Amino acid sequence: MVIMSVAPSSQTFQPVLERIADEIGRTPGRGRAADYIPALAACDPRSFGMAVAGLDGTVYGVGEWRRPFSTQSITKVFTLALDLAREGDELWEHVGREPSGNPFNSLVQLEYENGIPRNPFTNAGALVVTDRLQTRTGDAAGELLSFLRAESGDPTLDFDTEVAASEAAHGDRNAALAHFMASYGNIDNPVPVLLDQYFRQCSIRASCADLALAAGFLARHGVRADGSRLLTRSQAKQVNAVMLTCGTYDAAGDFAYRVGLPGKSGVGGGIIAVVPGRCTLCVWSPGLDERGNSVAGVAALDRFTTLTGLSVF
């Protein structure tokens, strides 16, 4: 096996992606699609797409890299960035920055930590961030959608009403989390309003190309596609750090060990990853492992960092 020993120029991304897609296509055992959200259960777990976006917006891709899929928890990165840009460090008084070690929808830690979620990527933490963005904008989900459309250059991005309705119909655990945190004064908006915003947020459909482009501000140290600044360099570092330590549910340690990049997964089968100063990636394959991460997606990112030498370590 030949492994590149130095980081490649962007021109080498396409053959690397093609090699990864070929290897993934020959790999048996690709996990199961999320079945607790009925609208996602019908996805073929062997579907696969992957895209890499350079700092200049050039995108390389393989497989079904332009096929929209349900972004789910990937959107938590963007709502975090949008709220952090507005309120700065005050946000961290309401949500922590530590790995949870528990499932993403767990209630366990909230009681003995006085309604303060462990990090912004658990469901509880994401509800707090969405709530705070809702207070500041009046339409958190709409603000998120506008941002994703602008950064991806794709005005067709939209909510999936079927997925949002499906999540609302099976959203008792999220409602319990929101009510519990509200009892500690850590939720500002009426819980039904917050849940509607949160389910719409998670229902957004986007492709690997869209998400790789949309996450580019994290590789550009906080600078948006149009050259304006969303986050300070320090804030972009903060978001990337929390992604590295908390972005893949309670498998973040294994992801950091295998991939070595800040990343955020979603139960729709997508994962975004950031190489600061170089590029952003998105991979999609809906077959999940027992912790809710894409089996093929993690494997593909592992191969990408191995073949290119691109890593934060």
Side-chain angles (χ1 to χ4, degrees):
M1 178 185 297
V2 176
I3 297 178
M4 298 177 186
S5 59
V6 295
S9 67
S10 60
Q11 285 77 14
T12 67
F13 284 149
Q14 191 62 40
V16 168
L17 292 179
E18 290 171 0
R19 176 172 172 176
I20 292 169
D22 179 65
E23 292 179 7
I24 294 297
R26 292 185 277 107
T27 303
R30 298 275 281 274
R32 297 176 56 188
D35 55 8
Y36 65 93
I37 301 174
L40 302 182
C43 293
D44 179 1
R46 294 194 62 82
S47 297
F48 177 81
M50 187 172 184
V52 180
L55 299 183
D56 63 355
T58 303
V59 187
Y60 306 85
V62 288
E64 297 177 87
W65 63 295
R66 293 194 178 278
R67 176 180 172 179
F69 61 90
S70 188
T71 54
Q72 293 296 311
S73 288
I74 291 175
T75 59
K76 295 173 182 178
V77 170
F78 301 101
T79 52
L80 172 61
L82 289 170
D83 187 71
L84 189 60
R86 285 166 171 77
E87 65 170 322
D89 286 346
E90 184 182 345
L91 169 63
W92 303 118
E93 298 174 13
H94 301 269
V95 61
R97 301 184 294 270
E98 295 292 337
S100 70
N102 286 309
F104 58 88
N105 60 355
S106 174
L107 284 142
V108 172
Q109 289 169 326
L110 281 177
E111 184 165 14
Y112 62 80
E113 294 183 350
N114 299 315
I116 305 295
R118 186 60 70 91
N119 68 69
F121 297 148
T122 63
N123 283 16
L127 284 164
V128 167
V129 175
T130 298
D131 176 67
R132 299 186 70 76
L133 187 61
Q134 175 69 13
T135 297
R136 283 153 183 76
T137 65
D139 183 8
E143 189 76 14
L144 168 65
L145 181 62
S146 295
F147 178 82
L148 293 176
R149 285 174 171 174
E151 296 306 290
S152 68
D154 185 353
T156 70
L157 295 187
D158 211 343
F159 305 110
D160 186 320
T161 56
E162 179 187 0
V163 169
S166 180
E167 294 202 53
H170 298 81
D172 291 340
R173 179 64 68 94
N174 285 317
L177 290 166
H179 281 294
F180 193 83
M181 291 186 294
S183 75
Y184 281 93
N186 203 22
I187 295 294
D188 294 333
N189 294 279
V191 169
V193 172
L194 170 57
L195 292 174
D196 177 65
Q197 290 288 327
Y198 181 69
F199 295 142
R200 289 171 65 218
Q201 165 190 318
C202 292
S203 79
I204 291 173
R205 291 177 60 80
S207 68
C208 292
D210 293 326
L211 291 170
L213 287 167
F217 72 98
L218 291 172
R220 292 188 292 268
H221 308 295
V223 175
R224 296 183 60 169
D226 64 2
S228 64
R229 181 168 287 281
L230 175 69
L231 300 175
T232 67
R233 191 180 184 98
S234 179
Q235 288 172 329
K237 178 195 70 176
Q238 292 169 6
V239 174
N240 279 326
V242 178
M243 287 173 67
L244 180 68
T245 58
C246 308
T248 47
Y249 308 123
D250 55 336
D254 186 63
F255 185 83
Y257 176 85
R258 291 183 61 185
V259 176
L261 294 175
K264 182 70 194 84
S265 60
V267 296
I271 307 174
I272 60 171
V274 180
V275 186
R278 292 300 301 269
C279 62
T280 46
L281 303 94
C282 181
V283 60
W284 170 70
S285 185
L288 309 180
D289 62 22
E290 67 278 3
R291 290 173 169 173
N293 298 311
S294 170
V295 174
V298 174
L301 292 170
D302 183 359
R303 292 299 292 146
F304 180 85
T305 54
T306 298
L307 291 170
T308 64
L310 290 173
S311 168
V312 297
F313 300 110

